[in-house]
Coordinates of all heavy atoms in Angstrom, one line a residue:
M1 N -9.7 -15.4 70.7 CA -9.4 -14.4 69.8 C -8.2 -15.0 69.0 O -7.2 -15.5 69.6 CB -9.0 -13.2 70.6 CG -8.8 -11.9 69.7 SD -8.2 -10.5 70.6 CE -9.7 -9.6 71.1
P2 N -8.2 -14.7 67.7 CA -7.0 -15.2 66.9 C -5.7 -14.4 67.3 O -5.9 -13.1 67.4 CB -7.4 -14.9 65.4 CG -8.7 -14.3 65.5 CD -9.2 -14.1 66.9
P3 N -4.7 -15.0 67.4 CA -3.4 -14.3 67.9 C -3.0 -13.3 66.9 O -2.4 -12.3 67.3 CB -2.3 -15.5 68.0 CG -3.0 -16.6 67.3 CD -4.5 -16.4 67.4
V4 N -3.2 -13.5 65.6 CA -2.8 -12.6 64.5 C -3.5 -11.1 64.7 O -2.9 -10.1 64.7 CB -3.0 -13.0 63.2 CG1 -2.7 -12.0 62.0 CG2 -2.3 -14.4 62.9
A5 N -4.8 -11.3 65.0 CA -5.6 -10.0 65.1 C -5.1 -9.2 66.4 O -4.9 -8.0 66.3 CB -7.0 -10.3 65.3
S6 N -4.8 -9.9 67.5 CA -4.3 -9.2 68.7 C -2.9 -8.6 68.5 O -2.6 -7.5 68.9 CB -4.5 -10.1 69.9 OG -3.4 -11.0 69.8
E7 N -2.1 -9.4 67.7 CA -0.8 -8.9 67.4 C -0.9 -7.6 66.6 O -0.2 -6.6 66.9 CB 0.0 -9.8 66.5 CG 0.7 -11.0 67.3 CD 1.7 -10.3 68.4 OE1 2.5 -9.5 68.0 OE2 1.6 -10.7 69.6
L8 N -1.8 -7.6 65.6 CA -2.0 -6.5 64.8 C -2.4 -5.1 65.5 O -1.9 -4.1 65.3 CB -3.1 -6.7 63.6 CG -2.6 -6.8 62.3 CD1 -3.8 -7.0 61.2 CD2 -1.8 -5.5 61.8
S9 N -3.4 -5.5 66.4 CA -3.9 -4.3 67.1 C -3.0 -3.7 68.1 O -2.8 -2.7 68.4 CB -5.3 -4.6 67.8 OG -5.0 -5.5 68.9
R10 N -2.1 -4.6 68.6 CA -1.0 -4.2 69.4 C 0.0 -3.4 68.7 O 0.4 -2.3 69.2 CB -0.3 -5.4 70.3 CG 0.4 -4.9 71.4 CD 1.1 -6.1 72.1 NE 0.3 -7.3 72.2 CZ 0.9 -8.5 72.2 NH1 2.1 -8.6 72.3 NH2 0.1 -9.6 72.4
E11 N 0.2 -3.9 67.5 CA 1.2 -3.0 66.7 C 0.5 -1.7 66.3 O 1.2 -0.7 66.2 CB 1.5 -3.9 65.5 CG 2.6 -3.5 64.6 CD 4.0 -3.1 65.3 OE1 4.2 -4.0 66.2 OE2 4.6 -2.1 65.1
Q12 N -0.8 -1.7 65.9 CA -1.4 -0.5 65.6 C -1.4 0.5 66.8 O -1.2 1.7 66.6 CB -2.8 -0.9 65.2 CG -2.9 -1.3 63.8 CD -4.4 -1.7 63.3 OE1 -5.1 -2.2 64.2 NE2 -4.6 -1.7 62.0
Q13 N -1.8 -0.1 68.0 CA -1.7 0.8 69.2 C -0.3 1.4 69.3 O -0.2 2.6 69.6 CB -1.9 -0.1 70.4 CG -3.4 -0.4 70.7 CD -3.7 -1.3 71.8 OE1 -2.7 -1.4 72.6 NE2 -4.8 -1.8 71.9
R14 N 0.7 0.6 69.1 CA 2.1 1.2 69.2 C 2.3 2.2 68.2 O 2.9 3.3 68.5 CB 3.1 0.0 69.0 CG 4.4 0.3 69.8 CD 5.1 -1.1 69.6 NE 5.7 -1.3 68.3 CZ 6.7 -0.7 67.7 NH1 7.5 0.0 68.4 NH2 7.1 -1.0 66.5
F15 N 1.8 2.0 67.0 CA 2.0 3.0 65.9 C 1.2 4.3 66.2 O 1.8 5.4 66.1 CB 1.4 2.4 64.6 CG 1.6 3.3 63.4 CD1 2.7 3.0 62.5 CD2 0.7 4.2 63.0 CE1 3.0 3.8 61.4 CE2 0.9 5.0 61.9 CZ 2.1 4.9 61.1
F16 N 0.0 4.1 66.7 CA -0.7 5.4 66.9 C -0.4 6.1 68.2 O -0.6 7.3 68.3 CB -2.3 5.0 67.0 CG -3.0 4.8 65.6 CD1 -3.5 3.6 65.4 CD2 -2.9 5.7 64.6 CE1 -4.0 3.3 64.1 CE2 -3.4 5.5 63.5 CZ -4.0 4.3 63.2
R17 N 0.4 5.4 69.0 CA 0.9 6.1 70.1 C 2.0 7.1 69.7 O 2.1 8.2 70.3 CB 1.5 5.1 71.1 CG 1.7 5.7 72.5 CD 1.8 4.7 73.6 NE 3.0 3.8 73.3 CZ 2.9 2.4 73.3 NH1 1.7 1.9 73.7 NH2 3.9 1.6 73.2
Y18 N 2.7 6.8 68.7 CA 3.6 7.7 68.1 C 3.0 8.7 67.1 O 3.4 9.9 67.0 CB 4.8 7.0 67.5 CG 5.8 6.3 68.4 CD1 5.6 5.0 68.6 CD2 6.7 7.0 69.0 CE1 6.6 4.4 69.5 CE2 7.6 6.5 69.9 CZ 7.5 5.1 70.2 OH 8.3 4.5 71.0
D19 N 2.1 8.3 66.3 CA 1.5 9.0 65.3 C 0.5 10.1 65.8 O -0.7 9.9 65.8 CB 0.8 8.1 64.3 CG 0.3 9.0 63.0 OD1 0.8 10.1 62.8 OD2 -0.6 8.5 62.3
R20 N 1.0 11.1 66.4 CA 0.3 12.1 67.0 C -0.9 12.8 66.2 O -1.9 13.0 66.6 CB 1.2 13.3 67.7 CG 2.2 12.7 68.7 CD 1.5 12.2 69.9 NE 2.3 11.5 70.8 CZ 2.9 12.1 71.9 NH1 2.7 13.1 72.2 NH2 3.6 11.2 72.6
D21 N -0.4 13.2 65.0 CA -1.4 13.8 64.2 C -2.3 12.9 63.3 O -3.0 13.4 62.5 CB -0.8 14.9 63.3 CG 0.3 14.3 62.4 OD1 0.5 13.1 62.4 OD2 1.0 15.1 61.7
R22 N -2.1 11.5 63.5 CA -3.0 10.6 62.9 C -2.9 10.7 61.4 O -3.9 10.5 60.7 CB -4.4 10.7 63.3 CG -4.6 10.5 64.9 CD -4.5 9.1 65.2 NE -4.8 8.8 66.7 CZ -3.9 8.7 67.6 NH1 -2.6 8.8 67.2 NH2 -4.1 8.4 68.8
D23 N -1.8 11.0 60.7 CA -1.7 11.0 59.3 C -1.1 9.7 58.8 O -0.7 9.6 57.6 CB -0.9 12.2 58.7 CG 0.5 12.1 59.2 OD1 0.9 11.2 60.0 OD2 1.3 13.0 58.8
Q24 N -1.1 8.7 59.6 CA -0.6 7.3 59.3 C 0.9 7.3 58.9 O 1.4 6.4 58.4 CB -1.4 6.8 58.0 CG -2.9 6.9 58.2 CD -3.5 5.9 59.1 OE1 -3.0 4.8 59.1 NE2 -4.4 6.2 59.9
R25 N 1.6 8.3 59.3 CA 3.0 8.3 59.2 C 3.7 8.8 60.4 O 3.1 9.7 61.1 CB 3.4 9.3 58.0 CG 3.1 8.9 56.6 CD 3.6 9.8 55.6 NE 2.8 9.7 54.4 CZ 1.8 10.5 54.1 NH1 1.5 11.5 54.9 NH2 1.0 10.3 53.0
I26 N 4.7 8.3 60.7 CA 5.5 8.7 61.9 C 6.7 9.5 61.6 O 7.6 9.0 60.8 CB 5.8 7.4 62.8 CG1 4.6 6.8 63.4 CG2 6.7 8.0 64.0 CD1 4.9 5.5 64.0
T27 N 6.7 10.7 61.9 CA 7.8 11.6 61.5 C 8.9 11.4 62.6 O 8.6 10.8 63.6 CB 7.5 13.1 61.5 OG1 7.0 13.4 62.8 CG2 6.4 13.4 60.5
R28 N 10.0 11.9 62.3 CA 11.2 11.9 63.3 C 10.8 12.4 64.5 O 11.0 12.0 65.7 CB 12.4 12.4 62.7 CG 13.7 12.1 63.3 CD 14.8 12.6 62.4 NE 16.1 12.4 63.1 CZ 16.6 13.3 64.0 NH1 16.0 14.5 64.1 NH2 17.8 13.1 64.6
N29 N 10.1 13.7 64.4 CA 9.7 14.4 65.7 C 8.7 13.6 66.5 O 8.7 13.5 67.7 CB 9.2 15.7 65.3 CG 10.3 16.8 65.2 OD1 11.4 16.5 65.7 ND2 9.9 17.9 64.6
E30 N 7.8 12.9 65.8 CA 6.8 12.1 66.5 C 7.5 10.9 67.3 O 7.1 10.7 68.4 CB 5.7 11.7 65.5 CG 4.7 12.8 65.1 CD 3.8 12.2 64.0 OE1 4.1 11.3 63.3 OE2 2.7 12.8 64.0
M31 N 8.4 10.4 66.5 CA 9.2 9.3 67.0 C 9.9 9.8 68.3 O 10.0 9.0 69.3 CB 10.2 8.8 66.0 CG 10.9 7.5 66.4 SD 9.9 6.0 66.1 CE 10.9 4.8 67.0
L32 N 10.4 11.0 68.3 CA 11.2 11.5 69.4 C 10.3 12.1 70.5 O 10.9 12.3 71.6 CB 12.1 12.6 68.9 CG 13.4 12.1 68.1 CD1 14.1 13.3 67.5 CD2 14.4 11.3 69.0
S33 N 9.0 12.1 70.2 CA 8.1 12.9 71.2 C 8.1 12.3 72.4 O 7.9 12.9 73.5 CB 6.8 13.0 70.5 OG 6.1 11.9 70.4
T34 N 8.2 10.9 72.5 CA 8.1 10.3 73.8 C 9.4 10.6 74.5 O 9.3 10.7 75.8 CB 8.1 8.7 73.6 OG1 9.1 8.3 72.8 CG2 6.7 8.3 73.0
R35 N 10.5 10.7 73.9 CA 11.6 11.1 74.5 C 11.6 12.5 75.1 O 12.0 13.0 76.1 CB 12.9 11.0 73.7 CG 13.0 9.6 73.0 CD 13.0 8.5 73.9 NE 14.3 8.6 74.9 CZ 14.5 7.7 75.8 NH1 13.7 6.7 76.1 NH2 15.7 7.8 76.5
T36 N 11.0 13.4 74.2 CA 10.7 14.8 74.5 C 10.1 15.0 75.8 O 10.5 15.8 76.6 CB 10.1 15.5 73.3 OG1 10.6 15.2 72.2 CG2 10.1 17.0 73.5
N37 N 8.9 14.3 76.0 CA 8.2 14.4 77.2 C 9.0 14.1 78.4 O 9.0 14.7 79.5 CB 6.9 13.6 77.0 CG 5.9 14.1 76.1 OD1 6.0 15.3 75.7 ND2 5.0 13.3 75.7
A38 N 9.7 12.9 78.3 CA 10.5 12.5 79.4 C 11.6 13.5 79.7 O 11.8 13.8 80.8 CB 11.2 11.1 79.0
F39 N 12.2 14.0 78.6 CA 13.2 15.1 78.8 C 12.6 16.4 79.6 O 13.1 16.9 80.5 CB 13.7 15.6 77.4 CG 14.8 16.5 77.5 CD1 16.2 16.1 77.5 CD2 14.6 17.9 77.4 CE1 17.2 17.0 77.7 CE2 15.6 18.8 77.4 CZ 16.9 18.3 77.6
R40 N 11.4 16.8 79.1 CA 10.8 17.9 79.7 C 10.4 17.8 81.1 O 10.6 18.7 81.9 CB 9.4 18.3 78.8 CG 9.7 18.8 77.5 CD 8.7 19.9 77.1 NE 9.0 20.3 75.7 CZ 8.3 19.9 74.7 NH1 7.3 19.1 74.8 NH2 8.5 20.3 73.5
D41 N 10.1 16.5 81.4 CA 9.8 16.2 82.8 C 11.0 16.5 83.8 O 11.0 17.0 84.9 CB 9.3 14.8 83.0 CG 7.9 14.6 82.7 OD1 7.1 15.6 82.5 OD2 7.4 13.4 82.6
L42 N 12.2 16.1 83.1 CA 13.4 16.3 83.9 C 13.9 17.6 83.9 O 14.6 18.1 84.9 CB 14.5 15.2 83.3 CG 14.3 13.8 83.4 CD1 15.4 13.0 82.7 CD2 14.3 13.5 85.0
D43 N 13.7 18.4 82.7 CA 14.3 19.7 82.6 C 13.5 20.6 83.5 O 12.5 21.5 83.1 CB 14.2 20.1 81.2 CG 14.8 21.4 80.9 OD1 15.7 21.9 81.7 OD2 14.6 22.1 79.9
K44 N 13.7 20.7 84.8 CA 12.9 21.5 85.9 C 12.9 22.9 85.5 O 11.8 23.6 85.6 CB 13.5 21.2 87.2 CG 13.3 19.8 87.6 CD 11.8 19.4 87.7 CE 11.6 18.0 88.2 NZ 10.3 17.4 87.8
D45 N 13.9 23.5 85.0 CA 13.9 24.9 84.8 C 13.5 25.3 83.3 O 13.5 26.4 83.0 CB 15.2 25.6 85.2 CG 16.5 25.0 84.4 OD1 16.3 24.2 83.6 OD2 17.5 25.4 84.7
G46 N 13.2 24.3 82.5 CA 12.7 24.5 81.2 C 13.8 25.2 80.3 O 13.3 25.8 79.3
N47 N 15.0 25.1 80.5 CA 16.0 25.8 79.6 C 16.5 24.9 78.4 O 17.5 25.2 77.7 CB 17.2 26.3 80.4 CG 18.1 25.3 81.0 OD1 17.7 24.1 81.0 ND2 19.2 25.7 81.5
N48 N 15.8 23.7 78.2 CA 16.2 22.7 77.3 C 17.6 22.2 77.4 O 18.1 21.6 76.5 CB 16.1 23.4 75.8 CG 14.7 23.1 75.3 OD1 14.1 22.1 75.7 ND2 14.4 23.9 74.3
L49 N 18.2 22.3 78.6 CA 19.4 21.7 78.9 C 19.2 20.9 80.1 O 18.6 21.4 81.1 CB 20.5 22.7 79.1 CG 20.9 23.6 77.9 CD1 21.9 24.7 78.4 CD2 21.6 22.8 76.9
L50 N 19.7 19.7 80.2 CA 19.7 18.9 81.4 C 21.0 19.0 82.1 O 22.1 18.7 81.7 CB 19.5 17.4 81.0 CG 18.0 16.9 80.9 CD1 18.1 15.4 81.0 CD2 17.2 17.5 81.9
T51 N 21.0 19.6 83.3 CA 22.1 19.5 84.1 C 22.2 18.2 84.8 O 21.3 17.5 84.8 CB 22.1 20.5 85.3 OG1 20.9 20.3 86.1 CG2 21.9 22.0 84.7
F52 N 23.4 17.9 85.3 CA 23.5 16.5 86.0 C 22.5 16.3 87.0 O 21.9 15.3 87.3 CB 25.0 16.4 86.5 CG 25.1 15.1 87.2 CD1 25.2 13.9 86.4 CD2 25.1 15.0 88.5 CE1 25.3 12.6 87.1 CE2 25.2 13.7 89.2 CZ 25.4 12.6 88.4
E53 N 22.3 17.5 87.8 CA 21.2 17.4 89.0 C 19.8 17.1 88.5 O 19.2 16.4 89.1 CB 21.4 18.8 89.8 CG 22.7 18.9 90.5 CD 22.7 18.3 91.9 OE1 21.7 18.5 92.6 OE2 23.7 17.7 92.3
E54 N 19.5 17.8 87.3 CA 18.2 17.5 86.8 C 18.0 16.1 86.3 O 17.1 15.4 86.5 CB 17.9 18.4 85.6 CG 17.6 20.0 86.1 CD 17.6 20.9 85.0 OE1 18.1 20.6 83.9 OE2 16.9 21.9 85.1
W55 N 19.0 15.6 85.7 CA 19.1 14.3 85.1 C 19.0 13.2 86.3 O 18.3 12.2 86.2 CB 20.3 14.0 84.2 CG 20.4 12.7 83.7 CD1 19.7 12.1 82.7 CD2 21.4 11.7 84.1 NE1 20.1 10.8 82.4 CE2 21.0 10.5 83.3 CE3 22.3 11.7 85.2 CZ2 21.8 9.3 83.6 CZ3 23.0 10.4 85.4 CH2 22.7 9.3 84.6
A56 N 19.7 13.5 87.3 CA 19.8 12.6 88.4 C 18.8 12.9 89.5 O 19.0 12.4 90.7 CB 21.2 12.6 89.0
V57 N 17.8 13.5 89.1 CA 16.8 14.2 90.2 C 16.3 13.1 91.1 O 16.1 13.3 92.3 CB 15.7 15.1 89.5 CG1 14.7 14.1 88.7 CG2 14.9 15.8 90.7
T58 N 15.8 12.0 90.6 CA 15.3 10.9 91.5 C 16.3 10.4 92.5 O 15.9 10.2 93.7 CB 14.7 9.7 90.6 OG1 15.7 9.3 89.8 CG2 13.5 10.1 89.9
T59 N 17.6 10.3 92.1 CA 18.5 9.9 93.0 C 18.8 11.0 94.1 O 18.9 10.7 95.2 CB 19.8 9.6 92.3 OG1 19.6 8.6 91.3 CG2 20.8 9.0 93.3
V60 N 18.8 12.3 93.5 CA 19.0 13.4 94.5 C 17.9 13.4 95.5 O 18.1 13.6 96.7 CB 19.1 14.7 93.7 CG1 19.1 15.9 94.6 CG2 20.3 14.8 92.7
E61 N 16.7 13.3 95.0 CA 15.5 13.3 95.9 C 15.6 12.2 96.9 O 15.2 12.4 98.1 CB 14.2 13.3 95.1 CG 13.9 14.7 94.6 CD 12.7 14.6 93.5 OE1 12.2 13.5 93.4 OE2 12.4 15.7 93.1
R62 N 16.0 11.0 96.4 CA 16.0 9.9 97.3 C 17.1 10.2 98.4 O 16.9 9.7 99.6 CB 16.3 8.6 96.6 CG 15.1 7.9 96.1 CD 15.5 6.8 95.1 NE 16.1 5.7 95.8 CZ 17.0 4.8 95.2 NH1 17.5 5.1 94.0 NH2 17.5 3.8 96.0
F63 N 18.2 10.7 98.1 CA 19.3 11.1 99.0 C 18.7 12.1 100.0 O 18.8 11.8 101.2 CB 20.5 11.6 98.2 CG 21.6 11.9 99.1 CD1 22.6 10.9 99.3 CD2 21.7 13.0 99.9 CE1 23.7 11.1 100.2 CE2 22.8 13.2 100.7 CZ 23.8 12.3 100.9
D64 N 18.2 13.2 99.6 CA 17.6 14.1 100.5 C 16.6 13.6 101.5 O 16.5 13.9 102.6 CB 17.0 15.3 99.6 CG 18.1 16.1 98.9 OD1 19.3 16.0 99.2 OD2 17.6 16.9 98.0
Q65 N 15.7 12.7 100.9 CA 14.7 12.0 101.7 C 15.4 11.3 102.8 O 14.9 11.2 103.9 CB 13.9 11.1 100.8 CG 12.5 11.2 101.0 CD 11.7 10.3 100.0 OE1 12.3 9.7 99.2 NE2 10.5 10.4 100.1
A66 N 16.4 10.5 102.5 CA 17.0 9.6 103.3 C 17.8 10.3 104.4 O 18.0 9.8 105.5 CB 17.9 8.5 102.7
D67 N 18.4 11.4 104.0 CA 19.4 12.2 104.9 C 18.5 12.9 106.0 O 18.4 14.1 106.0 CB 20.2 13.1 104.0 CG 21.3 13.8 104.8 OD1 21.6 13.3 105.9 OD2 21.8 14.8 104.4
A68 N 18.3 12.1 107.0 CA 17.3 12.6 108.0 C 17.9 13.8 108.8 O 17.3 14.8 109.1 CB 16.9 11.5 109.0
D69 N 19.2 13.7 109.1 CA 19.9 14.8 109.9 C 20.5 15.9 109.0 O 21.2 16.7 109.6 CB 20.8 14.2 110.9 CG 22.0 13.4 110.2 OD1 22.0 13.4 109.0 OD2 22.8 12.7 110.8
R70 N 20.2 15.8 107.7 CA 20.8 16.8 106.8 C 22.2 17.1 106.9 O 22.6 18.3 106.8 CB 19.8 18.1 107.0 CG 18.4 17.9 106.9 CD 18.0 18.3 105.5 NE 16.6 17.7 105.2 CZ 16.3 16.9 104.2 NH1 17.3 16.6 103.4 NH2 15.1 16.5 104.1
N71 N 23.0 16.2 107.1 CA 24.4 16.5 107.1 C 25.2 16.1 105.8 O 26.3 16.2 105.7 CB 25.1 15.7 108.4 CG 25.1 14.2 108.1 OD1 24.4 13.7 107.2 ND2 26.0 13.5 108.9
G72 N 24.3 15.9 104.8 CA 24.9 15.7 103.5 C 25.5 14.2 103.4 O 26.3 14.0 102.3
E73 N 25.3 13.4 104.3 CA 25.8 12.0 104.1 C 24.8 11.1 104.7 O 24.0 11.5 105.6 CB 27.1 11.9 105.1 CG 28.3 12.7 104.7 CD 29.5 12.7 105.8 OE1 29.1 12.3 106.9 OE2 30.5 13.1 105.5
L74 N 24.9 9.9 104.3 CA 24.0 8.8 104.7 C 24.8 7.9 105.5 O 25.7 7.2 105.0 CB 23.3 8.0 103.5 CG 22.5 9.0 102.6 CD1 21.8 7.9 101.5 CD2 21.4 9.8 103.3
N75 N 24.3 7.6 106.8 CA 24.9 6.5 107.5 C 24.0 5.3 107.2 O 23.1 5.3 106.3 CB 24.9 6.8 109.0 CG 23.5 7.2 109.6 OD1 22.5 6.6 109.1 ND2 23.4 8.0 110.6
Q76 N 24.4 4.2 107.7 CA 23.8 2.9 107.4 C 22.3 2.9 107.6 O 21.6 2.3 106.9 CB 24.5 1.7 108.1 CG 26.0 1.4 107.6 CD 26.5 0.2 108.0 OE1 25.8 -0.7 108.7 NE2 27.8 -0.1 107.7
K77 N 21.9 3.5 108.7 CA 20.6 3.6 109.1 C 19.8 4.4 108.1 O 18.6 4.0 107.7 CB 20.4 4.1 110.5 CG 19.0 3.9 111.2 CD 19.0 4.2 112.7 CE 17.7 4.7 113.1 NZ 17.8 6.2 113.4
E78 N 20.3 5.5 107.8 CA 19.6 6.4 106.9 C 19.6 5.8 105.5 O 18.6 5.8 104.7 CB 20.4 7.7 106.7 CG 20.3 8.7 107.9 CD 21.2 9.9 107.9 OE1 22.3 9.8 107.1 OE2 20.9 10.9 108.5
F79 N 20.7 5.1 105.1 CA 20.7 4.5 103.7 C 19.7 3.4 103.7 O 19.1 3.1 102.7 CB 22.1 4.0 103.5 CG 22.3 3.4 102.1 CD1 22.3 4.3 101.0 CD2 22.4 2.0 101.9 CE1 22.5 3.7 99.7 CE2 22.5 1.5 100.6 CZ 22.5 2.5 99.6
A80 N 19.5 2.7 104.8 CA 18.5 1.6 104.9 C 17.1 2.1 104.5 O 16.3 1.2 104.0 CB 18.7 0.9 106.2
T81 N 16.8 3.3 104.8 CA 15.4 3.8 104.6 C 15.1 3.8 103.1 O 13.9 4.0 102.7 CB 15.2 5.1 105.2 OG1 16.0 6.1 104.6 CG2 15.5 5.1 106.7
I82 N 16.2 3.9 102.3 CA 15.9 4.0 100.8 C 16.1 2.5 100.1 O 16.3 2.6 98.9 CB 16.6 5.0 100.1 CG1 18.1 5.0 100.4 CG2 16.0 6.4 100.5 CD1 18.9 5.9 99.5
A83 N 16.2 1.6 100.9 CA 16.4 0.3 100.3 C 15.3 -0.1 99.3 O 14.0 0.2 99.7 CB 16.5 -0.8 101.4
P84 N 15.6 -0.5 98.1 CA 14.5 -0.7 97.2 C 13.5 -1.8 97.7 O 14.1 -2.9 98.1 CB 15.2 -1.2 95.8 CG 16.6 -1.6 96.3 CD 16.9 -0.8 97.6
K85 N 12.2 -1.6 97.6 CA 11.4 -2.7 98.0 C 11.4 -3.7 97.0 O 11.3 -3.5 95.8 CB 9.9 -2.0 98.2 CG 9.8 -1.0 99.2 CD 8.4 -0.4 99.2 CE 8.3 0.9 100.0 NZ 8.9 2.0 99.3
P86 N 11.3 -5.0 97.5 CA 11.4 -6.1 96.4 C 10.1 -6.0 95.5 O 9.0 -6.0 96.0 CB 11.3 -7.3 97.3 CG 11.1 -6.9 98.7 CD 11.4 -5.5 98.7
G87 N 10.4 -6.0 94.3 CA 9.3 -5.9 93.2 C 8.7 -4.6 93.0 O 7.8 -4.4 92.2
A88 N 9.1 -3.5 93.7 CA 8.6 -2.3 93.6 C 9.1 -1.6 92.2 O 8.2 -1.1 91.5 CB 9.0 -1.3 94.7
T89 N 10.2 -1.7 91.9 CA 10.8 -1.2 90.7 C 11.0 -2.4 89.7 O 11.5 -3.3 90.1 CB 12.1 -0.4 90.9 OG1 13.0 -1.1 91.8 CG2 11.9 1.0 91.5
P90 N 10.6 -2.1 88.4 CA 10.9 -3.3 87.5 C 12.4 -3.4 87.2 O 13.0 -2.5 86.8 CB 10.2 -2.7 86.2 CG 10.0 -1.2 86.4 CD 9.9 -1.1 87.9
A91 N 12.8 -4.6 87.6 CA 14.3 -4.8 87.5 C 14.7 -5.1 86.1 O 13.9 -5.5 85.3 CB 14.7 -6.0 88.3
C92 N 15.9 -4.8 85.8 CA 16.4 -5.0 84.5 C 16.4 -6.6 84.3 O 17.0 -7.3 85.1 CB 17.9 -4.4 84.3 SG 18.7 -4.9 82.8
R93 N 15.9 -7.0 83.1 CA 15.7 -8.3 82.8 C 16.9 -8.9 81.9 O 16.6 -9.8 81.1 CB 14.3 -8.7 82.2 CG 13.3 -8.8 83.3 CD 12.0 -9.2 82.8 NE 10.9 -8.7 83.7 CZ 9.7 -8.5 83.2 NH1 9.4 -8.7 81.9 NH2 8.8 -8.0 84.1
C94 N 18.0 -8.2 81.9 CA 19.0 -8.6 81.0 C 19.9 -9.7 81.7 O 19.7 -10.1 82.7 CB 19.9 -7.5 80.6 SG 20.1 -6.2 81.9
Ligands
CA101 CA1 2.0 11.5 62.0
CA102 CA1 17.5 22.5 82.7
CA103 CA1 22.8 12.0 107.4

């Protein structure tokens, strides 16, 4: 397969992922829509405001999961249960 064609289609795919109404133009809202979805996922009570707890929900959940005796603190053994599995999360490549 010629590399140019695959580059094009990848670029087109990227374009159409944003171009929700398929009018060949990406509006600001369409551009922001990917962020909107991520935001809505986090905004648990749907009030269009992210509290710190909502924003940090994955960390909060991990903490609650690890805090086996529910004393609001993690000892070393509890903390070890949420050790990131090697290769499980895509690490920052910077
Ligand atoms: Ca559009
Ligand atoms: Ca909220
Ligand atoms: Ca604990």
Side-chain angles (χ1 to χ4, degrees):
M1 193 190 266
V4 177
S6 71
E7 275 304 308
L8 246 185
S9 68
R10 202 184 309 157
E11 190 55 38
Q12 279 173 335
Q13 277 174 20
R14 209 171 69 84
F15 188 91
F16 284 123
R17 200 159 57 227
Y18 285 102
D19 187 21
R20 297 296 168 99
D21 58 3
R22 298 286 184 265
D23 66 352
Q24 311 284 320
R25 290 182 204 99
I26 294 169
T27 62
R28 197 166 172 274
N29 272 347
E30 284 173 335
M31 188 82 189
L32 284 171
S33 65
T34 53
R35 311 299 298 177
T36 312
N37 290 343
F39 184 89
R40 288 217 185 99
D41 278 351
L42 289 175
D43 185 24
K44 293 296 175 201
D45 58 4
N47 68 346
N48 268 335
L49 295 171
L50 273 196
T51 63
F52 179 75
E53 292 274 318
E54 285 173 336
W55 177 74
V57 64
T58 50
T59 306
V60 172
E61 279 170 2
R62 275 170 70 210
F63 184 93
D64 289 346
Q65 224 176 3
D67 188 15
D69 58 7
R70 300 267 164 237
N71 69 344
E73 296 173 344
L74 300 185
N75 58 33
Q76 286 192 10
K77 195 169 144 250
E78 288 171 336
F79 187 72
T81 64
I82 52 168
K85 296 177 194 81
T89 43
C92 177
R93 280 183 206 153
C94 34

